[in-house]
Amino acid sequence: MTRPENDPITLSNNLLHSLLDQQIPLIQSFKGKWSLIKSKLADLQAQLNDFSELQTSITNPLSLDLLHSISQTLNDAHLLAEKCLDTNLTEGKLKTQSDIDSILAKLNQNVKDCEVLIKSGVLQDGILSGSGSKRELVRAEFRNLITRLQIGSTESKNAAMDTVLSLIQEDDKNVMIAVAQGIVPVLARLLDCNSCLDIKEKSVAAISKISMVDSSKHVLIAEGLLLLNQLIRILESGSWFAKEKACIALQALSFSRENARAIGSRGGICSLLEICQAGTPSSQGLASGVLRNLALFEEIRENFIEENAVFVLIGLAASGTALAQENAIGCLCNLVKEDENLKILIVKEGVIECLRNFWDSCPPARSLEVAVVLLRELATSQAIAEGLVSDGFVVRLVAVLSCGVMGVRSAAARAVYELGFNMKTRKLIGELGCISPLIKMLDGKAVEEKEAAAKALSLLVLHAGNRSIFRKTEGGIVSTVQLLDPSIQNLDKKYPVSILASILNSKKCRKQMIAAGASVHLKKLMEMDVEGSKKLLDGLGRGKIWGVFARP
């Protein structure tokens, strides 16, 4: 393609030829460094040849800016070469060497920027502008913006980030397009400490938005330690705005065991706890959410102990925002699993009062799940369970057994099981009305809910008063028999077997069991060696003998 003599590509090529053919071969000083410059100039020459094949290279703003930068670098190199042709080096060796290093760095950056621009497809997009679908135009726009984030001036990058944020906030589809075009690695590099504060904050805001789109999270995870280290650094020294955005991103990244270990070993837990103590209300809620995820992994729980996290979390559970309280309670729940000493410690530090206050503040049913789960964890310790019963938590459980959230109902049923540790508490639980909602849960859609209810009932019916309530509650026997069906998988059959065995000496109950098909299911369960199935089936088969002693 023939170009006018005054266009930027032609001017740059002329300078290149002068340097390569006329000046550098004659230079005698610093030959090694000029050899490196010559190699970079050869790379640049090949890239300018690629530019010359595209008309848009002298109309695209990004290309024009880059060509201007290249031209300036070549002019500086030309003037420096002239000085080096003088063997006396009038400006001195140190100054000349510094100038050569500066030119080499500029050329290196120019070559990298050219590579980015050529590979981006932005110059080809210019040929197609105005055509294609709306989505294709958005793709082209993101290619342009991503390129500007890599090769433009600070002002250009800042403006590009504004546009990126506007587009990804507009539509989650735009987030997916941006991710597909390769924006995540670019944003991760912009978080580097060398970036200006404004760009860094906008980059972490963009990353936080990407982390909220499920289909894009895996790309963030793939960035690994580079991204994690930058986000942790922001937790330590960023603005409150940046810290909040970093916490949002870390919530998505901290579900990975490898990432959780990395966060724990790099001081992330300490920084998050500091935010929980002194941060804005919003940042406290977000930071405690990250801690809640991290506490799931047993191998980093020691980090929490070392940082005295329990005291911070209990303080947050007592006085934080609703979200912060929920996450603090959830974090404590994850920390105390299978740790009797830690359970006793948090009780001594006042966690039961926090639990009661949070529960009684009437949070949404879904948010209440963490409180119910923590109650269940604490109730596994009998010494603590007695206090929970006397504090009125059984009454609270009765209410949530009928709530509209399956996870909360299931957690409540498991808590009921743990609180039924002796006949006295089983009697109280039955009298307070737990039996009926548990029977309704036997008909729940999820196997998890069915099993939780059956397990709780199998313990409660050990008390005679509760057996009486169970027998009299409509649907209880039929629903329990249905759980014997082997086609209902992942449900431990010993619980419905145990419930039915407890009422076997009632003739009326036996008839209801047989009518509901218990015998057929029990024969199959016997073949599967289910605990108690043979004894229950034998009991149903001895109906005539049982009838002599049976209660009506």
Side-chain angles (χ1 to χ4, degrees):
M1 181 184 296
T2 304
R3 291 185 174 276
E5 291 185 3
N6 62 345
D7 90 7
I9 294 178
T10 302
L11 291 172
S12 293
N13 272 322
N14 290 339
L15 286 168
L16 273 167
H17 286 302
S18 176
L19 282 161
L20 289 169
D21 300 335
Q22 298 171 21
Q23 293 179 301
I24 294 177
L26 301 177
I27 295 174
Q28 297 302 311
S29 54
F30 300 108
K31 282 189 172 184
K33 288 187 178 293
W34 279 105
S35 177
L36 292 174
I37 289 176
K38 184 178 179 180
S39 175
K40 289 297 175 184
L41 290 172
D43 293 339
L44 197 57
Q45 190 174 41
Q47 290 168 332
L48 287 174
N49 288 337
D50 290 337
F51 279 168
S52 67
E53 298 298 320
L54 293 166
Q55 284 184 319
T56 53
S57 61
I58 57 171
T59 58
N60 182 284
L62 273 176
S63 179
L64 282 173
D65 287 346
L66 180 53
L67 288 170
H68 175 74
S69 175
I70 290 169
S71 179
Q72 185 63 53
T73 302
L74 293 175
N75 270 314
D76 293 344
H78 177 74
L79 293 173
L80 183 59
E82 286 291 326
K83 293 177 183 178
C84 287
L85 286 171
D86 182 352
T87 54
N88 292 324
L89 298 177
T90 55
E91 293 188 356
K93 283 190 174 182
L94 288 177
K95 174 68 166 61
T96 304
Q97 182 173 335
S98 175
D99 290 343
I100 292 173
D101 288 340
S102 176
I103 290 295
L104 190 56
K106 289 178 182 178
L107 282 171
N108 191 49
Q109 189 61 54
N110 288 152
V111 168
K112 285 182 178 179
D113 288 351
C114 284
E115 185 178 357
V116 169
L117 185 56
I118 291 166
K119 286 184 176 180
S120 70
V122 167
L123 299 180
Q124 289 85 345
D125 289 337
I127 299 171
L128 302 172
S129 61
S131 63
S133 66
K134 179 182 177 182
R135 184 166 295 185
E136 185 53 47
L137 292 175
V138 173
R139 288 193 186 99
E141 176 68 3
F142 272 119
R143 282 193 288 271
N144 179 60
L145 291 167
I146 292 168
T147 306
R148 285 172 58 191
L149 291 175
Q150 296 175 83
I151 71 173
S153 63
T154 298
E155 294 75 14
S156 174
K157 289 178 180 178
N158 217 345
M161 276 304 316
D162 287 336
T163 307
V164 166
L165 285 171
S166 176
L167 285 171
I168 63 177
Q169 295 292 348
E170 181 183 299
D171 189 347
D172 283 356
K173 290 180 181 178
N174 288 348
V175 173
M176 292 185 280
I177 292 172
V179 169
Q181 297 306 312
I183 199 169
V184 170
V186 175
L187 292 173
R189 287 194 292 272
L190 288 173
L191 289 179
D192 186 86
C193 57
N194 294 324
S195 301
C196 81
L197 181 60
D198 214 17
I199 292 175
K200 188 181 294 187
E201 291 201 345
K202 290 172 183 177
S203 297
V204 74
I207 287 171
S208 73
K209 174 60 181 175
I210 292 169
S211 74
M212 296 166 71
V213 179
D214 287 341
S215 60
S216 300
K217 289 180 183 178
H218 70 284
V219 183
L220 292 177
I221 293 171
E223 283 301 301
L225 292 179
L226 170 65
L227 179 57
L228 280 179
N229 287 337
Q230 298 298 346
L231 292 172
I232 292 170
R233 189 173 291 134
I234 289 171
L235 293 182
E236 296 168 353
S237 58
S239 67
W240 286 117
F241 171 83
K243 287 179 180 181
E244 287 182 15
K245 298 302 180 183
C247 284
I248 291 172
L250 286 170
Q251 277 190 328
L253 297 173
S254 54
F255 283 107
S256 154
R257 183 179 297 275
E258 183 180 352
N259 284 351
R261 282 200 297 262
I263 295 168
S265 64
R266 285 166 170 76
I269 291 174
C270 178
S271 298
L272 290 163
L273 288 169
E274 287 177 2
I275 294 173
C276 288
Q277 286 180 294
T280 61
S282 177
S283 66
Q284 288 178 333
L286 295 167
S288 57
V290 183
L291 291 169
R292 179 178 173 182
N293 291 347
L294 296 175
L296 286 166
F297 301 101
E298 186 176 354
E299 58 264 45
I300 65 167
R301 288 178 191 165
E302 189 60 36
N303 296 90
F304 282 85
I305 306 302
E306 291 172 0
E307 298 293 344
N308 293 317
V310 164
F311 307 102
V312 177
L313 292 166
I314 289 177
L316 196 59
S319 59
T321 64
L323 178 61
Q325 288 180 321
E326 178 185 345
N327 284 331
I329 291 170
C331 185
L332 288 167
C333 184
N334 292 334
L335 285 176
V336 302
K337 283 180 180 176
E338 300 177 7
D339 191 327
E340 193 75 11
N341 292 331
L342 203 52
K343 289 174 188 175
I344 293 170
L345 173 62
I346 67 171
V347 169
K348 286 180 179 177
E349 293 300 322
V351 78
I352 291 178
E353 183 180 355
C354 295
L355 197 58
R356 181 171 56 245
N357 292 339
F358 177 72
W359 202 310
D360 294 346
S361 68
C362 299
R366 195 170 297 280
S367 298
L368 194 56
E369 184 171 357
V370 292
V372 179
V373 174
L374 180 56
L375 174 66
R376 182 243 178 181
E377 287 293 337
L378 295 175
T380 58
S381 169
Q382 186 170 334
I384 299 173
E386 290 174 356
L388 293 171
V389 172
S390 63
D391 272 343
F393 278 98
V394 174
V395 176
R396 293 177 174 88
L397 282 175
V398 174
V400 297
L401 282 170
S402 301
C403 78
V405 182
M406 184 276 290
V408 180
R409 294 194 302 270
S410 301
R414 294 188 192 100
V416 166
Y417 177 85
E418 298 298 343
L419 290 174
F421 53 86
N422 61 29
M423 285 298 182
K424 181 181 177 181
T425 60
R426 290 167 200 159
K427 178 177 183 291
L428 175 63
I429 290 169
E431 290 174 346
L432 289 173
C434 277
I435 304 297
S436 180
L438 286 170
I439 289 173
K440 289 179 181 177
M441 287 174 62
L442 297 176
D443 294 325
K445 291 182 179 180
V447 171
E448 175 190 351
E449 180 177 9
K450 293 174 185 287
E451 181 173 273
K455 185 176 181 180
L457 285 168
S458 69
L459 190 67
L460 295 178
V461 294
L462 295 177
H463 185 272
N466 292 339
R467 288 198 296 274
S468 177
I469 297 171
F470 180 84
R471 289 198 310 268
K472 294 175 182 178
T473 303
E474 186 178 355
I477 292 174
V478 173
S479 296
T480 306
V481 169
Q482 289 173 349
L483 298 185
L484 299 175
D485 189 343
S487 67
I488 301 176
Q489 298 179 353
N490 301 317
L491 187 150
D492 195 332
K493 304 298 182 183
K494 71 181 180 182
Y495 299 125
V497 168
S498 175
I499 295 169
L500 296 172
S502 72
I503 55 173
L504 190 59
N505 60 346
S506 165
K507 180 178 180 181
K508 183 179 179 181
C509 291
R510 290 199 308 276
K511 284 183 177 180
Q512 288 183 52
M513 291 183 219
I514 294 168
S519 300
V520 175
H521 296 322
L522 286 168
K523 288 175 183 177
K524 295 177 181 177
L525 296 183
M526 276 181 57
E527 296 171 2
M528 297 162 61
D529 292 326
V530 171
E531 180 184 337
S533 58
K534 184 179 185 303
K535 186 175 181 181
L536 180 56
L537 182 61
D538 289 346
L540 291 177
R542 292 197 300 269
K544 290 182 180 180
I545 300 173
W546 277 98
V548 176
F549 307 101
R551 292 191 298 267

